[in-house]
């Protein structure tokens, strides 16, 4: 609602109770205000109360600070002032100096006098006599806040001299302490010359409740804006004992009017009797009147001047405020500059009063104490010193300069803070008046030109937000801060004392990790279970300090209370942050004590490094290599140190906010300390750097183990294997000498140190020593165990042979073959095996003697050795007994074989008779039952005769084994040759007759004409052969010929059967057959071969065969076409994601291409066939589809290969910036490619994927664009190569990799060895400055100058040309220095001081010069000896420990010197 000034306020409406009154223009309003709720009214300045009568107004809820503009002259209200909080009684124009004698019943307890700032108490000096009749006994003084009257109380001793008549007997509970504290604390800060200023400051002005309230002496420890509201005092009694209204007064008037009160003897104009008697009354009265008049006149003049100044300042401030609230339209920067320069020039023209300069200097020098200033942060200086080189910082000449600079910095800091505090206080216009400062020097400020965009609204909004979000002075937050400082500020997450007490240092990193986890868990428990609940209790206990922020009605904003809790959470988060930072610093100090490192020099000596180590580092060998690994490794420990800091940081990652405890269900957490913060990362970095100084010690100590490298790298093991694998094998004496050397080596290893303290680390070599000792012992054991094993194998082999011989010759053979085999084995054992075993036993005896000195044999080996020497005698007895058993067994076998042969001959005669009877069978009529019976008999006879043949073969085999003549068994052979044809004849006859009915009378749709034809031909051939073989069986021969005739007769129907059984016959073909036969022929009407024969089709077989052939070929073509389509229906492209591009590429398309080529050729062949007419259109469409697919696939793959080549190139911003036209084309190609691949990945079937609209055209356009892009790319690379020709040594891919990352010069490193033969890498500083070059052997050659690749603006070839030039310049300079150093440095030391190329070059220079000099002076032999000495010195160097680069250089120099 718009409350304009012209509205009629006739009466109050109940509907206005929730209205926001802050923007209402009250001037001219005269309304009945009795029922108004004023709690929401903020702006009273424009209200004219002259016509308002509000006898029932409730003022208790009014919190207004803007009463200064209210016109009170016409207000007739009986106000209850006890509930008015924050009212400024210093209303302009109001005179408070009236007579108060009638206010004996006033309730003053609810009035806050601390805010009364404009009252002129000095004018009451003549009126205090009016107070003598006041009854103060009923006044409640206990609630009055006198602390704000500090300036008044100081002057009452001289001003208020008339309080002697006041009765204070009823005044109890007044707090005077604040007045004395303020006077005593701030009096010394000002000189005596400023007493008057201070008096006026504290006596006639009050400190502001806005900007300066934090810094005024009376409000140093208060924040008035954040103080909780006072509870309204109980309503006073408005009636006096007589029933009349007594307070507030019925009318306040602007015009000063004195009330007539009871006259005291101190009033002006009253002469005391004693004065009258002394005749001094007249003089005294005149003097007093004169002084009073002078004082009043001076006061009025001073008051008027101050009021004028105050009004002027207020007008300016109001104008500034209004200008700040106005929205400013965007202004051109040049116009802004002119305006701002004009303003600054005008400001600089303003004059500053000298007395103001004196006051300002005094306030800066003495008015602000040091305890009000934040101390200078020491880490600023520390950070600044880090940027100074150590040689300058530690130089004694600069110590005094550094000391003076530090003092100057701190003085500037203090002065700047003092000036900032004073300027900040003077932002409040009331502070200018209070401090009695009227002018201030305006510095020539920085001119800020704003961007021509709207900004004012955001500024105003932000300013208002800040004003409502500052709660740090709230009692709750102060209590929380005190709770932390008193009870929890001593906490540390991981106290170092705990580490020393609970761990035996040095410790394993796992143990330290577990302890840190426990400490972190404990501190989490303290924070969550003790500290945060106590903070929540403070909130509940001091609810009155923040509940006024909670909205009282539904729908009101929660912003204030949310802001308050955010402030509380920020405070709690800062305290947790303090805990984390202290803990991190504690851990850092614990680690930094080891920053001196552990570099012990050339050789380690005990007690050199005497600090207690922290972490145990084990040394472990790398299997098969002369290398060691540390457990944990340096990288692992470095990561572990970071992990310790991270664990401490993680303590604060999930600390709940106060709201989560006060209001369950809320899961908000505090803002944690993060590892990514610069301060935290610097701490971690410092700890890691302190550890890094302790890495060199373990590596250096490992030089102690160089003599044992041959053990670790397997050389000892290989040597032993080579020794043992010699051919012939070494003698036992050689083994004895080698084992002796191993024992001496083990004694040396046992004397090595197991634990080595190295500052931060404790090097644990115990496991390494054990491994070395064990490796030597194992190598020794290999040789010993070899002989033990060889001896065991030899003995076991001997015993096994004896046991095998004993078991074998003791067996009882069951068959003739076993008997013969055993006899042969018996003879071999007696003649050969026993002799060989005796030789092996002699070798075993030598081994036993060797092992008794070097091995401890097991009981099994001892038993085995003894058994070897006992076996020969035992074996002789076993062989003798076996010989007798075998002779007896042979006689028994020969008798059994004779009996078996006689029984077999009798069985053959019986079976021959049965066969002869079967041959004579000749049935006159062949029935199905006869055929089945005879076929079964023939089968049984064949089985019996085959069994007889097996028995005969077994008898012959036994006869051969026993060296007897084998029996012939003639009858058996005749029986076998007689039964075979008979069985085949009856089987074939039965098969034909069973199939004939099915073939001739059954449905032909179930028949396979091809198989029937083959089967009939096979039957005919078989019966034809059998008819000639069965000459001795007439009946069987007749049957074979008869059945053969039937088969031959059925053969004539085979062509017709082929025709009607053709699967390719369609309806059109049956119509053709019907036309040829003259009869309507269909498979339904004529379902069998017999029906077709009876229909007379046999005479049309030739013509029908033509129709069948045509149908067969058409059917074959149609089936092939359908087969191709079915095969392609399931063929899919294989799409795989390509890198991180978000698209796909085709893979494994070779099979698809091969299949496509085969199908196209097949389709073209089929389309050329004369039998394709019935489906020629379908065939043509399929052929076109395949050809189109082939064209698409060819274009697709070509596009894919080119796109894959160019995609990573044009993914680089550098390339795209340098080739904009090609980049635009590639972007178009890339878009088309991604759309095609997205469609393909959606449905991967080949037939569907190639149906993408316009796919072939799009791919061909892409290929054309890609050709243009490649041409442009090649031209671009050619320009780069012409600028830096060494780029010709690189492939296009390598060159593009360099050019695609021009912002990172390090990307050139992998390709330098191709551009420069001797340069493997360039030496980059952390600032990416090139200061040298390195070879593959890590030999570094510093450059004479520096190269800054970033200055090339991305042109790699430009700074590479500089590298090439700097390489030549640097080598020339180094050669010059090396030539000069050759004479002053010993040669064996000189060759190690310079790069290898320089050594070889300068060496040749001096060799040539010295040779020429020797030839001229005829001292060649002397020079030869010198050369020999130099070569010997170089050889000595090579035999020592050299770096790889130095070793290569010296070897090359030796070769050159020798030749």
């Amino acid at each position: 609602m718009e409350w304009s000034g012209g509205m009629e306020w006739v009466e109050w409406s109940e509907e206005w109770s929730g209205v926001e009154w802050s923007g209402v223009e009250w001037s001219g309003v005269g309304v009945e205000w009795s029922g108004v709720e004023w709690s929401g009214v903020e702006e009273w300045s424009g209200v004219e109360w002259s016509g308002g009568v509000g006898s029932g107004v409730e003022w208790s809820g009014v919190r207004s600070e803007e009463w200064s503009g209210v016109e009170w002259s016409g207000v007739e209200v009986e106000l209850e002032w006890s509930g008015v909080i924050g009212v400024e009684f210093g209303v302009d124009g109001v005179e408070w100096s009236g007579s108060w004698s009638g206010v004996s019943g006033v309730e003053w307890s609810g009035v806050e006098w601390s805010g009364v700032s404009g009252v002129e108490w000095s004018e009451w000096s003549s009126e205090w006599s009016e107070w003598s009749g006041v009854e103060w006994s009923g006044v409640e003084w206990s609630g009055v806040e006198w602390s704000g009257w500090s300036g008044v109380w100081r002057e009452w001793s001289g001003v208020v001299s008339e309080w002697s008549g006041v009765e204070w007997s009823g005044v109890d509970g007044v707090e005077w302490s604040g007045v004395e504290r303020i006077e005593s604390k701030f009096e010394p800060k000002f000189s005596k010359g400023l007493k008057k200023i201070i008096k006026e400051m504290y006596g006639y002005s009050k400190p502001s409740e806005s900007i300066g309230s934090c810094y005024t002496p009376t409000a140093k420890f208060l924040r008035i804006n954040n103080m909780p509201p006072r509870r309204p005092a109980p309503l006073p009694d408005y009636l006096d004992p007589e029933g009349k209204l007594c307070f507030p007064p019925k009318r306040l008037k602007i015009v000063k009017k004195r009330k007539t009160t009871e006259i005291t003897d101190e009033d002006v104009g009253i002469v005391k009797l004693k004065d009258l008697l002394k005749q001094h009354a007249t003089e005294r009265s005149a003097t007093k009147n004169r002084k009073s008049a002078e004082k009043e006149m001076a006061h009025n003049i001073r008051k008027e001047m101050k009021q004028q100044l105050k009004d002027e300042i207020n007008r300016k401030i109001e104008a500034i405020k209004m200008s700040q609230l106005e929205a400013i339209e965007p202004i051109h920067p040049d116009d802004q500059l002119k305006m701002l320069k004009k303003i600054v020039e005008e400001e600089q023209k303003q004059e500053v009063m000298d007395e103001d300069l004196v006051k300002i200097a005094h306030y800066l020098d003495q008015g602000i104490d040091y305890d009000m200033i934040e101390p200078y942060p020491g880490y600023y200086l520390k950070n600044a010193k880090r940027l100074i080189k150590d040689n300058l910082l530690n130089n004694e000449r600069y110590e005094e300069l550094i000391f003076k600079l530090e003092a100057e910095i701190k003085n500037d800091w203090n002065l700047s803070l003092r000036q900032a505090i004073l300027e900040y206080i003077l932002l409040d216009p009331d502070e200018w008046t209070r401090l009695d400062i009227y002018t201030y020097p305006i510095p020539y400020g920085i001119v800020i030109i704003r961007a021509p965009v709207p900004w004012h609204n955001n500024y105003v909004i932000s300013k208002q937000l800040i004003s409502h979000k500052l709660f740090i002075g709230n009692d709750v937050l102060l209590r929380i801060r005190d709770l932390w400082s008193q009870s929890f500020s001593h906490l540390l997450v991981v106290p170092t004392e705990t580490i020393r007490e609970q761990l035996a240092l040095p410790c394993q990193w796992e143990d330290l990790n577990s302890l840190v986890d426990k400490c972190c868990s404990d501190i989490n428990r303290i924070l969550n279970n003790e500290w945060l609940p106590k903070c929540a209790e403070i909130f509940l206990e001091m609810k009155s300090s923040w509940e006024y922020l909670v909205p009282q009605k539904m729908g009101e904003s929660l912003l204030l209370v949310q802001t308050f809790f955010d402030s509380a959470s920020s405070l709690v988060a800062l305290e947790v942050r303090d805990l984390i930072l202290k803990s991190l610093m504690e851990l850092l100090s614990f680690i930094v004590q080891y920053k001196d490192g552990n570099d012990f020099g050339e050789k380690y000596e005990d007690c050199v490094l005497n600090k207690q180590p922290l972490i145990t580092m084990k040394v472990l060998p790398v299997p098969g290599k002369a290398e060691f690994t540390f457990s944990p490794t340096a990288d692992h420990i470095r990561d572990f140190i970071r992990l310790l800091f991270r664990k401490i940081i993680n303590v604060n990652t999930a600390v709940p906010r106060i709201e989560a405890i006060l209001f369950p269900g809320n899961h908000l957490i505090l803002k944690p300390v993060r590892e990514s913060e610069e301060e935290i990362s610097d701490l971690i970095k410092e700890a890691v750097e302190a550890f890094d100084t302790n890495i060199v010690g373990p590596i250096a100590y490992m030089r102690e183990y160089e003599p044992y490298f041959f053990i670790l790298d397997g050389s000892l093991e290989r040597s032993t294997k080579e020794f043992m694998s010699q051919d012939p094998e070494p003698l036992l004496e050689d083994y004895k000498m080698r084992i002796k050397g191993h024992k001496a080596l083990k004694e040396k290893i046992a004397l090595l140190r197991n634990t080595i303290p190295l500052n931060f680390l404790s090097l644990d070599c115990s496991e390494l020593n054990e491994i070395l000792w064990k490796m030597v012992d194992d190598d020794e054991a290999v040789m010993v165990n070899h002989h033990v094993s060889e001896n065991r194998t030899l003995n076991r082999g001997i015993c096994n042979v004896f046991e095998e011989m004993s078991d074998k010759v003791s067996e009882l053979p069951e068959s003739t073959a076993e008997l013969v085999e055993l006899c042969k084995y018996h003879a071999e054992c007696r003649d050969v095996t026993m002799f060989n075993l005796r030789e092996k036993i002699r070798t075993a005896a030598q081994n036993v003697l060797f092992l008794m000195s070097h091995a401890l044999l097991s009981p099994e080996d001892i038993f085995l050795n003894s058994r070897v020497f006992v076996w020969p005698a035992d074996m002789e007895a076993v062989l003798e007994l076996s010989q007798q058993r075998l002779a007896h067994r042979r006689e028994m076998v020969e008798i059994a074989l004779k009996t078996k042969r006689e029984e077999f001959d009798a069985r053959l005669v019986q079976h021959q008779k049965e066969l002869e009877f079967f041959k004579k069978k000749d049935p006159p009529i062949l029935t199905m039952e006869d055929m089945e019976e005879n076929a079964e008999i023939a089968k049984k006879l064949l089985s019996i005769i085959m069994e007889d043949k097996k028995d005969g073969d077994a008898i012959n085999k036994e006869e051969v084994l026993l060296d007897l003549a084998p029996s012939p068994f003639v009858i058996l052979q005749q029986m076998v040759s007689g039964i075979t044809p008979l069985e085949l004849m009856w089987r074939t006859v039965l098969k034909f007759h069973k199939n004939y009915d099915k073939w001739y009378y059954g449905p032909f749709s179930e028949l396979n004409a091809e198989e029937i034809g083959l089967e009939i031909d096979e039957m005919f051939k078989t019966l034809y052969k059998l008819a000639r073989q069965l000459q001795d069986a007439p009946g069987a021969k007749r049957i074979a010929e008869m059945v053969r005739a039937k088969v031959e007769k059925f053969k004539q129907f085979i062509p017709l059967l082929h025709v009607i059984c053709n699967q390719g016959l369609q309806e059109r073909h049956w119509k053709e057959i019907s036309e040829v036969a003259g009869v309507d022929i269909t498979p339904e009407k004529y379902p069998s071969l017999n029906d077709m024969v009876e229909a007379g089709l046999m005479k049309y077989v030739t013509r029908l065969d033509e129709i069948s052939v045509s149908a067969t070929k058409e059917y074959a073509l149609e089936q092939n076409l359908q087969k191709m389509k079915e095969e392609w229906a399931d063929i899919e492209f294989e799409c795989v994601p390509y890198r991180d591009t978000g698209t796909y590429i085709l893979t494994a398309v070779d099979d698809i291409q091969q299949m496509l080529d085969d199908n196209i050729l097949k389709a073209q062949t089929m389309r050329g066939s004369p039998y394709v007419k019935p489906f020629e259109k379908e065939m043509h469409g399929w052929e076109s589809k395949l050809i189109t697919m082939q064209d698409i696939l060819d274009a697709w793959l070509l596009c894919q290969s080119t796109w894959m080549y160019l995609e990573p190139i044009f993914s680089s911003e550098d390339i795209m910036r340098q080739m904009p036209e090609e980049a635009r084309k590639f972007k178009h190609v890339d878009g088309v490619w991604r759309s095609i691949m997205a469609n393909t990945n959606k449905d991967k079937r080949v037939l569907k994927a190639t149906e993408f609209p316009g796919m072939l055209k799009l791919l061909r356009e892409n290929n054309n664009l890609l050709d243009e892009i490649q041409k442009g790319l090649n031209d671009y690379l050619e320009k780069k190569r012409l600028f830096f020709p060494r780029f010709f040594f690189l492939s296009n891919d390598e060159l593009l990799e360099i050019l695609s990352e021009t912002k990172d010069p390090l990307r050139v490193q992998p390709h330098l060895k191709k551009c420069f033969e001797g340069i493997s890498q360039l030496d980059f500083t952390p600032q990416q400055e090139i200061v040298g070059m390195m070879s593959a052997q890590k030999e570094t050659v510093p450059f004479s100058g520096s190269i800054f690749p970033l200055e090339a603006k991305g042109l790699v070839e430009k700074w590479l040309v500089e590298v090439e030039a700097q390489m030549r310049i640097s080598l020339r300079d180094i050669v010059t220095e090396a030539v000069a150093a050759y004479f002053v440095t010993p040669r064996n030391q000189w060759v190690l001081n310079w790069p290898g190329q320089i050594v070889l070059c300068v060496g040749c220079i001096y060799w040539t010069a010295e040779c020429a000099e020797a030839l001229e002076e005829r001292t060649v032999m002397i020079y030869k000896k010198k050369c020999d000495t130099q070569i010997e010195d170089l050889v000595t160097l090579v035999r020592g420990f050299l770096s790889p680069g130095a070793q290569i250089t010296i070897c090359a120099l030796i070769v050159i010197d020798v030749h």
Side-chain angles (χ1 to χ4, degrees), residues 539-583:
F539 268 82
L540 296 177
E541 292 174 2
M542 305 183 68
K543 188 176 181 181
S544 60
S545 297
W546 60 272
E547 64 180 354
Y548 70 93
L549 301 172
V550 180
Q552 303 299 320
K553 298 180 182 179
M554 292 295 293
E556 292 185 0
S557 175
L558 296 171
L559 180 60
L560 283 177
V561 71
Q562 288 177 351
T563 305
F564 175 72
F565 276 104
D566 288 343
S567 299
S569 298
S570 298
L571 175 62
V572 173
L574 288 173
E575 291 170 345
V576 176
R577 181 183 182 88
D578 179 63
L579 168 65
I580 298 302
L581 289 178
K582 285 197 302 182
S583 302

Side-chain angles (χ1 to χ4, degrees), residues 793-830:
T793 303
L794 178 62
N795 292 343
R796 186 172 290 124
I798 294 172
C799 292
N800 288 342
V801 172
F802 278 120
E803 290 172 358
E804 183 181 356
M805 289 168 56
S806 176
D807 294 340
K808 190 72 174 176
V809 298
S810 300
E811 293 177 355
L812 292 176
E814 298 294 335
S815 63
T816 304
E818 292 176 356
L819 176 63
V820 175
E821 183 67 26
L822 189 57
C823 291
K824 292 180 180 179
Y825 182 76
H826 188 280
E828 182 182 359
C829 290
R830 185 180 57 249

